[in-house]
Every structure is written in structure tokens, then in C-alpha cells.
Amino acid sequence: MKYLLQFLLLMIFVLLGEAVYAIVPLPIPSSIWGLLLLLTALLTGIVKQSQIENIANMFFVILPILFVAPAVGVLEVFGDIAEVWPAMLAVVVITYLAAMASTGWLAEVMVRIKDASVRRRGKK
């Protein structure tokens, strides 16, 4: 029952994302709107992490399965992309490395901000 309620809560944000997408005239997908709304709800405390933690962990466990269909799709069209696959591979590797570097940098910045905040609280 716990998983069902947590899944329902996530689906509410999916539905809200669809509603925002229908109302706001920006080319932002509804899934991104839903994630932004969920992030806002988590940051403001409207939704607690514990309210979605179990279902989120379950989704992380099954995440690799979700990549099987796209991988099969790429294999089906490989003949069409055979001549450009080195360029596509280069783009994938470069963007992967850029994402890893920016994620690491952002994590480092956040740790520094947290450490500075802890030091300021300790001096008060």
C-alpha cells in the first residue's frame, strides 16, 4: 500500500506537469515541468523525502531495464547510421564527460556552501 500511495503522489506531479505544459506556451516538455514542480515541493517542504523515497529507490533499481528498448531501437537502425556512428559516438563521449565534470564541480560547490554554512552556525 505504501508503494501505491507514493506512486500516486508522483503521478500527481506528472499530471500537474501535463497541466502546466498545456497552459504555459514554452517548449518545455511536461515531464520537465513535473520534475520542477516536484523539486519545488521537496525544497519547500510540501512533500517530504520520506513520502517518495521508497518508490524512487524502486525506480532506480529498475532503471537499467528501461534502457533495453532504446538500445534495441538503435540496433535496428544501425545500418542507416553506420556511416556517422563515429561522430555520434564522439558526441556521446564528449557530452558524457562534460556532464560528469559539471556534476562534480556542482557537487564540490555545494559541499563548500554547506561547510561554510556549518562554520557560520558554529560561530554564532
Side-chain angles (χ1 to χ4, degrees), residues 79-93:
D80 298 335
I81 63 170
E83 58 199 38
V84 295
W85 77 266
M88 291 176 67
L89 182 62
V91 167
V92 168
V93 169

Side-chain angles (χ1 to χ4, degrees), residues 13-27:
F13 282 96
V14 170
L15 182 62
L16 290 172
E18 290 286 342
V20 171
Y21 177 74
I23 295 168
V24 177
L26 292 174

Side-chain angles (χ1 to χ4, degrees), residues 20-101:
V20 171
Y21 177 74
I23 295 168
V24 177
L26 292 174
I28 299 173
S30 60
S31 58
I32 301 301
W33 284 117
L35 287 172
L36 289 173
L37 291 170
L38 178 59
L39 176 63
T40 303
L42 285 166
L43 291 175
T44 59
I46 295 170
V47 174
K48 305 283 187 246
Q49 180 181 344
S50 61
Q51 292 175 296
I52 61 168
E53 190 168 25
N54 293 325
I55 196 73
N57 288 335
M58 187 192 79
F59 282 142
F60 280 131
V61 169
I62 66 168
L63 189 63
I65 296 169
L66 301 176
F67 289 108
V68 171
V72 171
V74 168
L75 291 176
E76 287 180 0
V77 297
F78 187 75
D80 298 335
I81 63 170
E83 58 199 38
V84 295
W85 77 266
M88 291 176 67
L89 182 62
V91 167
V92 168
V93 169
I94 290 168
T95 55
Y96 173 75
L97 293 174
M100 291 290 288

Side-chain angles (χ1 to χ4, degrees), residues 112-122:
R112 286 182 186 162
I113 290 170
K114 182 179 179 184
D115 289 347
S117 174
V118 168
R119 282 194 299 269
R120 276 194 306 268
R121 287 183 185 161

